[in-house]
Amino acid sequence: MKIPATVTATVDYREGVVSQSPISCAMKWACVIKRESGGIRGRLIDLRFNVEISNGLEGNKILQVTCSEKGVSTGVQFLDFNSSFLVKFRIYPKTLIWCNLWKSFVQGPNCVHHVKFNAFVGNEKFIHDVCGSRKPDVCFWQAREDGVYVRNNLTGAFKFMYKWDIN
């Protein structure tokens, strides 16, 4: 039985570094991020949070994932069925993390379907309305055959959010 893999990317804006844990193929990357000063209303500033993308595609399809914040990318990750990609970060002013997902039968440029969406927006309304709550501290997204779903943290139910575009 194959154990699902999780790849983790950590964003520390105070240090200005994004680092990724080693994965099975020993790929590593690092990026520098510059942040604007200012504050988010209320108690969200400097709160630790996560975005997790999971491959729930049928038939052993590969999910290609890349997430970005202010133009700095996590790099392309290839996820097998039931594996996930986790981005850890702290919420700072104007935090916006968007992701591009592609589904295909093989790794590489032969992807047929694509979707781009905001995986995290640093405000209470997004956390409450999209993620469901701040506990657990994750906005969990799952790619399925018909599109991308988000899990409500309070109920555990998945809600359809985005349909695949055809390239």
Side-chain angles (χ1 to χ4, degrees), residues 28-87:
K28 293 183 180 181
W29 56 265
C31 305
V32 175
I33 295 177
K34 295 180 182 174
R35 298 295 299 168
E36 298 175 16
S37 60
I40 291 178
R41 274 186 239 137
R43 50 194 188 254
L44 282 180
I45 193 147
D46 204 34
L47 179 72
R48 293 175 191 249
F49 214 82
N50 305 290
V51 166
E52 186 170 0
I53 310 289
S54 172
N55 181 354
L57 298 172
E58 299 169 1
N60 292 322
K61 291 185 183 90
I62 294 170
L63 181 67
Q64 231 176 290
V65 178
T66 183
C67 295
S68 299
E69 196 280 334
K70 294 261 185 192
V72 178
S73 174
T74 60
V76 177
Q77 307 299 318
F78 297 94
L79 303 179
D80 293 326
F81 177 72
N82 263 356
S83 60
S84 63
F85 177 61
L86 184 68
V87 179

Side-chain angles (χ1 to χ4, degrees), residues 5 16 21 25-26 30 33 41-42 45 50 59 74 79 87 105 110 112-113 130 146-147 155 164:
S21 66
C25 60
I33 295 177
R41 274 186 239 137
I45 193 147
N50 305 290
T74 60
L79 303 179
V87 179
F105 291 101
N110 299 325
V112 178
H113 296 95
V130 178
D146 58 341
T155 66
W164 295 103

Side-chain angles (χ1 to χ4, degrees), residues 86-155:
L86 184 68
V87 179
K88 297 180 178 185
F89 58 95
R90 289 182 183 269
I91 301 172
Y92 279 87
K94 300 180 184 176
T95 298
L96 172 63
I97 296 177
W98 66 94
C99 297
N100 282 285
L101 308 181
W102 298 266
K103 72 174 180 173
S104 72
F105 291 101
V106 295
Q107 283 188 19
N110 299 325
C111 298
V112 178
H113 296 95
H114 169 260
V115 66
K116 179 179 179 178
F117 63 97
N118 290 340
F120 184 83
V121 178
N123 63 51
E124 287 282 359
K125 181 170 175 33
F126 182 89
I127 293 170
H128 180 268
D129 293 351
V130 178
C131 307
S133 77
R134 284 195 263 161
K135 293 186 180 181
D137 58 353
V138 66
C139 206
F140 184 85
W141 298 88
Q142 186 174 63
R144 296 183 184 173
E145 285 303 314
D146 58 341
V148 179
Y149 291 73
V150 66
R151 181 185 66 205
N152 181 297
N153 288 332
L154 292 177
T155 66

